Amino acid sequence: MTGPESEGSQVRRAVCPGSFDPITNGHLDIIARATRLYDEVYVAVMINKAKKGLFEIDERIELIRQVTSEYANVRVEAFHGLLVDFCKQRDIPAIVKGLRAVSDFDYELQMAQMNNGLTGVETLFVPTNPTYSFLSSSLVKEVAQWGGDVSHLVPPVVLEALRKRLRQA
Ligand code: PNS
């Protein structure tokens, strides 16, 4: 056999990593766009023992599974340690990251170069939909905590989970 089909794995995989505490419409937009470019898209939820989030890792994963259920090629998993190791273990050659603004670029470039230097994994930057260029999980939590309307910024199940969690707090 000649051509690309003879060259190792034919499945094109990518990972969308993050804290996802919780997933927002901005994340979802990047994941959805990645599903159209790759055969398999892993959503990798970072376990950070040093930082307690609003949602437990299992809750974040469950929310992501629910809001990505229409995409048959999305897998959601937790990871700890280095992202490049997660990629190596699953034969994932590409990391997909959304860039909201120029201010994201400095740190993202550093991480992309570090990751590439470690294992050769590539990072692909996708410009965030301008509708979500100001959006972050932290801001969503802050606005929601003080009763602000975030219904246009997160999927309905996430909104419900936020309301429930903040009522408990
Ligand atoms: O949603 P976040 O918190 O901005 O996501 C950051 C994340 C998870 C993508 C980044 O912190 C990461 O890749 N962490 C894993 C640890 C790692 O590989 N560190 C070296 C990066 S060069």
Side-chain angles (χ1 to χ4, degrees), residues 17-20 27 46 79 81-84 97 107 111 114-115:
S19 302
F20 302 105
H27 294 128
M46 181 177 66
F79 80 103
L82 292 178
L83 180 62
V84 291
K97 285 282 189 77
Y107 186 51
M111 283 201 288
M114 174 63 84
N115 285 332

Side-chain angles (χ1 to χ4, degrees), residues 19-76:
S19 302
F20 302 105
D21 184 37
I23 188 167
T24 67
N25 286 344
H27 294 128
L28 195 51
D29 176 59
I30 299 295
I31 295 165
R33 288 157 70 188
T35 65
R36 298 194 276 275
L37 299 171
Y38 292 92
D39 300 317
E40 284 179 4
V41 175
Y42 284 78
V43 179
V45 184
M46 181 177 66
I47 299 169
N48 182 353
K49 296 232 165 80
K51 195 173 161 197
K52 187 162 165 45
L54 183 63
F55 294 98
E56 300 294 334
I57 294 294
D58 289 350
E59 295 174 315
R60 298 180 207 180
I61 288 177
E62 182 50 33
L63 287 172
I64 300 168
R65 288 208 171 119
Q66 286 183 42
V67 301
T68 59
S69 61
E70 70 189 272
Y71 308 108
N73 57 343
V74 168
R75 294 166 180 230
V76 191

Side-chain angles (χ1 to χ4, degrees), residues 53-156:
L54 183 63
F55 294 98
E56 300 294 334
I57 294 294
D58 289 350
E59 295 174 315
R60 298 180 207 180
I61 288 177
E62 182 50 33
L63 287 172
I64 300 168
R65 288 208 171 119
Q66 286 183 42
V67 301
T68 59
S69 61
E70 70 189 272
Y71 308 108
N73 57 343
V74 168
R75 294 166 180 230
V76 191
E77 289 184 20
F79 80 103
H80 64 92
L82 292 178
L83 180 62
V84 291
D85 290 333
F86 180 91
C87 293
K88 212 158 50 178
Q89 286 151 11
R90 290 159 186 78
D91 199 16
I92 300 172
I95 299 166
V96 173
K97 285 282 189 77
L99 280 186
R100 291 169 296 193
V102 177
S103 50
D104 278 345
F105 187 67
D106 266 356
Y107 186 51
E108 291 295 342
L109 180 65
Q110 269 187 309
M111 283 201 288
Q113 289 169 328
M114 174 63 84
N115 285 332
N116 184 261
L118 288 170
T119 62
V121 70
E122 297 290 359
T123 298
L124 284 299
F125 293 121
V126 177
T128 296
N129 180 329
T131 316
Y132 306 126
S133 60
F134 60 93
L135 186 51
S136 69
S137 299
S138 312
L139 280 185
V140 163
K141 285 183 282 192
E142 189 171 328
V143 172
Q145 193 179 353
W146 296 106
D149 180 14
V150 293
S151 59
H152 54 305
L153 305 177
V154 294

